[in-house]
Amino acid sequence: METLDLEPIQMKGIDMGKRPFVIAGPCSAETEEQVLNTAHQLAERGIKIFRAGIWKPRTKPGSFEGIGSEGLKWMKRVKEETGMYTSTEVATAQHVYEALKYGIDLLWIGARTTANPFAVQEIADALKGVDMPVLIKNPVNPDLDLWIGAVMRINRAGLKRIGVIHRGFSTFDKKIYRNQPMWQIPMEMKRRFPNLPIVCDPSHIGGRRDLIYPLSQQAMDLRFDGLIIESHCSPDDAWSDASQQVTPELLFTNVLDKLIIRDMNQTTESLEDLRKQIDEIDNQLFEIIAKRMRISKEIGTYKKEHNMTVLQTARYEDIINKRVAIGERLNMSANFTKAIVEAIHEESVRIQMDIMNNHD
Ligand code: PEP
Ligand code: MN
């Protein structure tokens, strides 16, 4: 059974119920000066939970892989000097032991780690008997069960103050976002586990500082509980993720101060959630249809260059039959699937006829 035994995250001095609770700090701890400078600026403005990556999972070797345990001493200073709670990413049991030794208050599991059940189990085992908040990022791939599985592993190790972080999903086809938000996945997580706090990471979804604000607003409109945002005293000089970090000042003036927090009336909440999911699915549906039309256009150009006719009857029959079969497997009526395929095909033919008749 997929049940979770949860308790509110609750950290003294923070009203977790007041949306959003905010975790901010640099992608990576780089130098003592950079960590403390950033931390002081954030604390002065009211941030209560500081983040900094100590061990960095980088896509390719050779880039900055994190300062390592040395940085934990700086985190300790942050705590002592600013009173903020500290948080970092752990990917191995050793990371957990080190982080605990230096009094880190909150841990998160990174997206690449969540995708690996062996690694999550190792972390869960290292955390047995420890009572601290742990946030679990979604896996890099859009697999809700894998995400839930990671949450269950940590929960079964006895930890109850658990939350999740939505940081988007990587795709081969890069579009405006570094990681596709696919909001319907975190929304489904929320629907299944209404007591599981959910935090949005607009820095890693967007990959660009100008996207932090709109993504944060969207997360608030979807009733996310918190935000984790990358903030650096000198973002352009950051050793990792420079393009998606903002100064502590801009974090407030361009993002947090601008957020509008709407509190929806209890009775319409679930309907609103479902409608937002529908909106999101329609966006994706139209993006995919547009992509199909672009490919259709390329085929049209090929046909013209090779003196082929636009309509290839055998291919059309084949498409209809195969799509109707797919539709049936997905519990959609043959009539409905056929109508969709015909409409799409008709538009493809129109596009290709345009190419044929265009003589320049
Ligand atoms: C991070 O938070 O700096 C990080 C590495 O994130 P993710 O695991 O989401 O890629
Ligand atoms: Mn980062």
Side-chain angles (χ1 to χ4, degrees):
M1 249 302 265
E2 280 177 5
T3 51
L4 297 174
D5 181 10
L6 300 171
E7 276 171 15
I9 287 187
Q10 250 165 43
M11 297 172 86
K12 234 172 104 197
I14 308 180
D15 180 0
M16 291 289 191
K18 186 170 174 289
R19 295 187 308 127
F21 71 82
V22 180
I23 302 172
C27 176
S28 305
E30 300 162 3
T31 65
E32 186 163 25
E33 211 271 317
Q34 166 253 3
V35 167
L36 284 150
N37 181 350
T38 310
H40 277 284
Q41 290 193 49
L42 290 167
E44 271 163 29
R45 291 174 168 84
I47 295 293
K48 300 271 194 291
I49 312 173
F50 182 72
R51 66 150 281 159
I54 297 290
W55 303 280
K56 301 302 299 178
R58 304 311 299 279
T59 303
K60 291 189 180 131
S63 42
F64 176 57
E65 313 237 17
I67 204 74
S69 299
E70 168 77 9
L72 291 169
K73 295 182 196 141
W74 314 335
M75 297 293 263
K76 200 152 171 265
R77 272 193 69 185
V78 166
K79 221 171 128 122
E80 288 160 2
E81 292 180 21
T82 69
M84 279 191 290
Y85 291 104
T86 53
S87 66
T88 199
E89 170 177 346
V90 287
T92 66
Q94 194 56 34
H95 294 165
V96 173
Y97 303 138
E98 288 283 301
L100 291 176
K101 200 162 88 193
Y102 286 89
I104 296 286
D105 302 285
L106 177 153
L107 300 175
W108 80 82
I109 296 180
R112 292 159 192 80
T113 308
T114 306
N116 177 355
F118 287 132
V120 176
Q121 193 56 51
E122 180 185 316
I123 295 168
D125 292 342
L127 281 168
K128 275 201 179 112
V130 178
D131 175 22
M132 74 190 300
V134 178
L135 301 179
I136 297 141
K137 286 196 168 195
N138 63 259
V140 279
N141 49 325
D143 184 339
L144 180 61
D145 280 331
L146 195 56
W147 195 4
I148 294 173
V151 174
M152 289 169 72
R153 285 176 198 278
I154 300 298
N155 195 216
R156 287 185 182 181
L159 288 95
K160 298 188 175 176
R161 294 152 73 202
I162 299 178
V164 290
I165 301 176
H166 169 229
R167 51 77 80 197
F169 301 91
S170 58
T171 50
F172 171 63
D173 207 8
K174 289 269 175 283
K175 296 205 201 89
I176 59 167
Y177 301 110
R178 176 178 176 191
N179 292 294
Q180 294 302 310
M182 301 185 181
W183 293 103
Q184 74 275 20
I185 296 176
M187 293 309 287
E188 178 61 16
M189 180 66 119
K190 209 165 141 47
R191 202 182 63 78
R192 289 207 216 167
F193 304 102
N195 297 331
L196 184 65
I198 185 159
V199 175
C200 177
D201 177 345
S203 308
H204 287 92
I205 295 177
R208 281 174 23 191
R209 46 187 88 116
D210 60 316
L211 292 175
I212 297 177
Y213 164 67
L215 286 164
S216 300
Q217 183 63 60
Q218 213 167 340
M220 288 302 105
D221 291 344
L222 291 170
R223 290 186 304 109
F224 275 56
D225 303 282
L227 297 169
I228 178 166
I229 303 181
E230 289 190 336
S231 177
H232 189 292
C233 54
S234 178
D236 288 334
D237 303 318
W239 299 0
S240 60
D241 289 351
S243 58
Q244 66 189 39
Q245 306 203 56
V246 280
T247 60
E249 188 187 348
L250 292 183
L251 171 65
F252 279 82
T253 55
N254 280 7
V255 183
L256 300 178
D257 294 346
K258 282 171 47 182
L259 289 179
I260 297 169
I261 310 300
R262 299 178 179 92
D263 269 308
M264 280 175 272
N265 158 341
Q266 208 62 31
T267 53
T268 62
E269 272 177 12
S270 53
L271 182 60
E272 282 296 324
D273 282 357
L274 293 170
R275 284 185 173 152
K276 292 232 161 80
Q277 285 198 57
I278 290 276
D279 290 349
E280 174 61 17
I281 288 171
D282 283 352
N283 285 343
Q284 290 176 24
L285 198 60
F286 283 104
E287 272 186 16
I288 296 226
I289 294 175
K291 186 169 172 181
R292 191 190 191 283
M293 292 305 165
R294 284 196 297 276
I295 292 175
S296 202
K297 203 164 167 182
E298 276 183 44
I299 294 179
T301 310
Y302 181 94
K303 285 178 180 164
K304 182 176 181 182
E305 284 166 6
H306 293 80
N307 269 331
M308 291 165 73
T309 56
V310 164
L311 197 62
Q312 307 270 318
T313 326
R315 165 82 180 144
Y316 181 47
E317 282 299 313
D318 190 44
I319 287 184
I320 296 263
N321 294 336
K322 285 195 174 134
R323 303 306 181 262
V324 167
I326 293 174
E328 276 174 347
R329 276 207 297 280
L330 295 169
N331 282 329
M332 295 194 297
S333 76
N335 279 347
F336 177 59
T337 315
K338 215 163 157 231
I340 296 176
V341 179
E342 277 170 1
I344 292 176
H345 186 261
E346 210 172 286
E347 178 62 5
S348 288
V349 169
R350 192 192 62 74
I351 289 172
Q352 295 190 359
M353 289 303 285
D354 262 8
I355 294 172
M356 293 289 171
N357 296 330
N358 185 348
H359 295 291
D360 44 67

